[in-house]
Amino acid sequence: MAKIVPLETQAFGAEPGVPDIAALADWVADHRGIAADLHAYRLDRSLAPQLAAGITRPCAGGLFCGNRILGSLCGLCGDTVTDEIGVETGTIRGDAGLIAAQKKGVWCAIPAPHELGIVDGYYHDEDEWNDALAGAYRTVMRVMRDAGTGGHVLLCGKINEAEISLLSRENVFFFPTAPDKESLRILIEHQRRVAAGKKMLETVFDLANEYDLHQLIVMDPDEEAIRLALSYLDPDQVMAGGYCTDACDAYWGKLVETAVYLK
């Protein structure tokens, strides 16, 4: 008799909306004793539904964390870097502490460096500029890990190869929200793990003939996508992934419910 077997689930963050004043006031009242501002609210609401749903590898944060990173960078005038980049780490450390208080070792999603939209007005050399911005990100991520997070997802619309070569490592995962074949090629070459939706699975398998693919995270999978993934890879190499932009309380529960296969 066939047995229903669950797949592990991987979150890549969420984008909780801005609440109305009444909802925010209620949340603040329930979270006395912490820095209960709007950013803290969105961090909490990005993570809490994942924990309630039983996501195997939860991840707080999302693109909304870009404002926090921008506010922590030194050397900026508007959107232009006019001096050597530095990082004020206090608020970043506090955010990590808030995440770790819910579950130690949880990852955090933040926008990839180029998604911040800042430009170089100081270094005037592409390699120096890339190194400086990557260095600031390494500081941000190290401070958060020291405060209890497990690693980082870097969210992006497209892959910047200079960034991934400078920042990709075991505790950093680049996640393009709408990858094309070239983005997936670069990802597999550098991090050996990729996330892709159903329409891109055949492309991933073509690339796996050229590169060593260690793990595939199938985004928002249905039964057919899971069956296809398992026809190419072993079950321990396949996960179900999610990135929520709306109605997250229901979203994560549905992901866990559908992340199964018959054995």
Side-chain angles (χ1 to χ4, degrees), residues 91-251:
T91 54
I92 297 293
R93 185 178 293 106
D95 291 344
L98 177 64
I99 294 167
Q102 291 198 53
K103 185 173 181 179
K104 190 173 178 62
V106 167
W107 282 40
C108 183
I110 59 178
H114 71 270
E115 293 288 342
L116 296 180
I118 58 178
V119 295
D120 174 29
Y122 175 76
Y123 295 94
H124 305 298
D125 179 272
E126 185 174 1
D127 290 339
E128 287 188 29
W129 164 239
N130 287 333
D131 287 343
L133 190 52
Y137 258 67
R138 281 192 290 268
T139 297
V140 167
M141 294 188 289
R142 183 177 64 252
V143 166
M144 295 188 74
R145 289 196 305 273
D146 288 346
T149 61
H152 286 81
V153 171
L154 297 187
L155 300 164
C156 49
K158 61 180 181 179
I159 286 294
N160 179 304
E161 190 162 9
E163 288 179 357
I164 196 171
S165 64
L166 289 166
L167 293 173
S168 181
R169 58 199 64 198
E170 186 66 26
N171 51 19
V172 177
F173 185 91
F174 278 80
F175 174 59
T177 54
D180 55 18
K181 183 174 183 178
E182 180 61 14
S183 294
L184 291 171
R185 182 194 66 76
I186 295 169
L187 285 171
I188 293 177
E189 183 177 359
H190 285 277
Q191 63 185 28
R192 309 300 190 194
R193 300 174 64 225
V194 296
K198 177 180 177 179
K199 293 181 179 179
M200 296 300 293
L201 293 185
E202 293 289 357
T203 300
V204 171
F205 301 138
D206 286 344
L207 291 168
N209 292 324
E210 306 173 43
Y211 299 95
D212 187 14
L213 176 63
H214 292 174
Q215 191 170 63
L216 170 64
I217 302 101
V218 185
M219 299 300 296
D220 300 313
D222 57 17
E223 184 178 347
E224 181 183 352
I226 292 172
R227 185 167 53 247
L228 178 60
L230 293 176
S231 70
Y232 282 84
L233 297 167
D234 294 333
D236 62 355
Q237 294 178 288
V238 178
M239 298 181 70
Y243 169 62
C244 183
T245 58
D246 186 46
C248 292
D249 286 355
Y251 175 87

